[in-house]
Amino acid sequence: EEMVDTSITQEMECKICYNFYNLWDRRPKVLECCHRMCSKCLYKIIDLGESPQNDIICPFCRYETSLPDKAGNSLPDDHNIVAALSLGVRTKRYLQENSAELLLSPKRSTSFVNSSHSSSNCLVITIIEVQREATPAVGVYRPSSFNTNATASGWWTVWNCASVLCQTLAWILVWLLGLLYVSSLPLGIYLLMNQKITLGIIFVSVVPSSIVIVMVYRFCQWLCYEFLNCIST
């Protein structure tokens, strides 16, 4: 008995959407290749428009079935399943199904709206594409906090630029002083040769005097270090 119920269940459902056939929006339609599907899946395939003109391609075997005027109602129903549905053959899964699926497509909407006027228990949803119009000029409101943040950001940018500029000038000054120090000895000799005694002596004595100053500083530092060691011991 369970095998019979399973076979009936497999025959009573669409092999594309796996919903059960019924006598309304999911009637079993048969193609020329003897494959069948529900009318809702058939309408979806037609609305996709991927099949040739006045034909429909079977999703199972790719066989082309002629379809006059792209009308799914022209295909025959599976009479065995329709007869079984008419006799009230249902499965537990079909009894528990409460499908509220609605196929919305440009080709089905007109006929659906016309048929819905005869029933009061029907909800019709109309979707209208709104044309975009030219956007009017609208003033932009900027709160005071936005202006404050913009001002702070501007000052921060100026401060960064100023710091980078000062750092660059400092490096240029250091390089110039280093160049002057290195070239002071030949420059002093040149000045002495040109009878500029004072400037020549100053430039010639820059290197030796700086060396003497460094040596005196290091000597004083060594004395202080030794003195502090003696006091600590």
Side-chain angles (χ1 to χ4, degrees), residues 165-186:
L165 181 61
C166 293
Q167 186 176 5
T168 304
L169 292 177
W171 277 108
I172 293 174
L173 182 60
V174 169
W175 278 101
L176 291 177
L177 291 176
L179 181 62
L180 180 62
Y181 178 80
V182 172
S183 61
S184 61
L185 184 59

Side-chain angles (χ1 to χ4, degrees), residues 1-88:
E1 183 178 357
E2 293 180 358
M3 294 296 294
V4 174
D5 293 339
T6 302
S7 62
I8 293 176
T9 302
Q10 293 178 354
E11 292 295 330
M12 296 295 293
E13 66 180 10
C14 175
K15 292 302 183 293
I16 298 179
C17 63
Y18 294 101
N19 288 311
F20 285 99
Y21 296 115
N22 56 37
L23 298 176
W24 300 279
D25 58 341
R26 293 192 183 275
R27 297 183 67 89
K29 295 294 182 178
V30 182
L31 303 178
E32 293 180 0
C33 57
C34 297
H35 286 114
R36 60 178 173 269
M37 67 185 73
C38 68
S39 57
K40 185 167 289 189
C41 292
L42 177 64
Y43 291 147
K44 289 180 180 180
I45 294 175
I46 294 174
D47 291 338
L48 287 177
E50 296 180 354
S51 300
Q53 186 68 23
N54 296 329
D55 288 333
I56 181 172
I57 299 177
C58 177
F60 303 104
C61 64
R62 310 303 295 175
Y63 183 84
E64 295 184 7
T65 300
S66 60
L67 194 65
D69 299 330
K70 286 287 185 180
N73 293 327
S74 61
L75 292 178
D77 296 337
D78 191 321
H79 299 292
N80 295 328
I81 297 179
V82 172
L85 291 173
S86 300
L87 292 174

Side-chain angles (χ1 to χ4, degrees), residues 83-109:
L85 291 173
S86 300
L87 292 174
V89 178
R90 303 289 189 275
T91 60
K92 293 182 180 179
R93 179 183 173 186
Y94 181 72
L95 290 174
Q96 293 175 357
E97 182 183 10
N98 185 16
S99 177
E101 182 180 358
L102 177 63
L103 177 63
L104 294 177
S105 64
K107 298 180 180 180
R108 307 274 94 81
S109 59

